[in-house]
Amino acid sequence: MSDSDSSGGGWGDDVTRPLRIYVLRHEKRPVDDPTFDVSLTDEGLEDAEELVCEELNELGVNAVYSSPYKRVLQTVEPYLDQVHVGMGACVEWCLSEHPEPNDTPPTEIPDEWHDEFSIESTHVPLMTAEEAHAKNRTIEQVFNRLADFVELLSKVHDEGDVVLLATHQTSVHALLSMASGIPVDCMDVPMGKIVELDWHGVIKYKYHGGPEPPWACYESHFHPSKNKHGGELKFTYIAAEEDSEED
């Protein structure tokens, strides 16, 4: 656990935290280029250095799993580069972008990135790049590979761990959808946003299917607040047509 874990959250020394998992959508990138080696914009780099890093310190993240894409590694690097953190990113191909944006899907991390970024060289990912690409053709495959990964994390991490999954829009939406039953199309998590994941819900989805909310759909909103990342994630109930007719 990082040194920052003891601060915030109202937890005393005699309280045991459960395993917590957070998901992060990478910071801002050029709108017309989602490919493997594209860099964050200047604004995205600045926000990763300040806003994202600050929030990860407040959360006390002590394990980072990252998509191999450059923009995602750039998003978490300022946090990992701090002396007190003492770890690197565990690169996971199952957290890659969907749909595939590259003419030729990448199969390895460029050698120079190991010098540029804090990457755990001994980490063995859940699946190889080739296996991840084979399971990247449909959104159902993305759901399945992510559910398998979350279940693995629940087994290898202990109580008190604070785990971050740094990834892309589709993966963030898929994970939150499995946990909540809210359709992917009803979500719009912005770049740079960190959201806590109900990982128990993801595992329940894997074995029993997702929850079935008694409503037609949700509309997602990020309500303004003092939070620099746009406030807490909230979902607003949209009444079905028959409900509206009864009013």
Side-chain angles (χ1 to χ4, degrees), residues 195-230:
V195 183
E196 184 164 10
L197 177 68
D198 175 12
W199 59 268
H200 293 93
V202 175
I203 296 175
K204 290 178 181 177
Y205 173 91
K206 176 179 176 178
Y207 290 102
H208 305 293
E212 297 179 359
W215 43 72
C217 189
Y218 271 103
E219 179 181 352
S220 61
H221 295 281
F222 290 84
H223 295 280
S225 75
K226 295 181 181 179
N227 186 313
K228 295 180 181 179
H229 290 274

Side-chain angles (χ1 to χ4, degrees), residues 9 18 24 28 40 49 61 85 90 101 115 121 148 192:
L24 162 65
K28 303 169 189 68
L40 296 176
E49 181 90 27
V61 169
V85 174
C90 298
D115 296 326
S121 59
D148 288 344

Side-chain angles (χ1 to χ4, degrees), residues 178-194:
M178 284 187 281
S180 67
I182 300 168
V184 168
D185 291 344
C186 292
M187 295 186 180
D188 187 19
V189 177
M191 296 181 185
K193 179 69 178 180
I194 302 170

Side-chain angles (χ1 to χ4, degrees), residues 91-222:
V91 171
E92 285 287 345
W93 291 92
C94 70
L95 295 174
S96 295
E97 179 72 282
H98 173 87
E100 177 60 57
N102 304 282
D103 294 335
T104 301
T107 57
E108 60 183 15
I109 298 173
D111 291 340
E112 60 269 23
W113 289 13
H114 288 275
D115 296 326
E116 184 176 353
F117 302 114
S118 304
I119 297 175
E120 290 289 344
S121 59
T122 60
H123 175 69
V124 179
L126 171 65
M127 57 182 63
T128 65
E130 291 79 7
E131 290 170 336
H133 295 319
K135 296 180 179 180
N136 199 31
R137 297 187 178 94
T138 67
I139 189 64
E140 289 78 14
Q141 290 177 326
V142 175
F143 272 57
N144 291 337
R145 78 188 191 201
L146 291 173
D148 288 344
F149 183 50
V150 169
E151 183 179 27
L152 174 64
L153 294 178
S154 74
K155 295 177 179 179
V156 301
H157 283 280
D158 300 322
E159 287 189 354
D161 282 349
V162 184
V163 177
L164 180 73
L165 308 184
T167 183
H168 307 264
Q169 181 184 53
T170 300
S171 293
V172 169
H173 290 178
L175 287 163
L176 296 176
S177 179
M178 284 187 281
S180 67
I182 300 168
V184 168
D185 291 344
C186 292
M187 295 186 180
D188 187 19
V189 177
M191 296 181 185
K193 179 69 178 180
I194 302 170
V195 183
E196 184 164 10
L197 177 68
D198 175 12
W199 59 268
H200 293 93
V202 175
I203 296 175
K204 290 178 181 177
Y205 173 91
K206 176 179 176 178
Y207 290 102
H208 305 293
E212 297 179 359
W215 43 72
C217 189
Y218 271 103
E219 179 181 352
S220 61
H221 295 281
F222 290 84

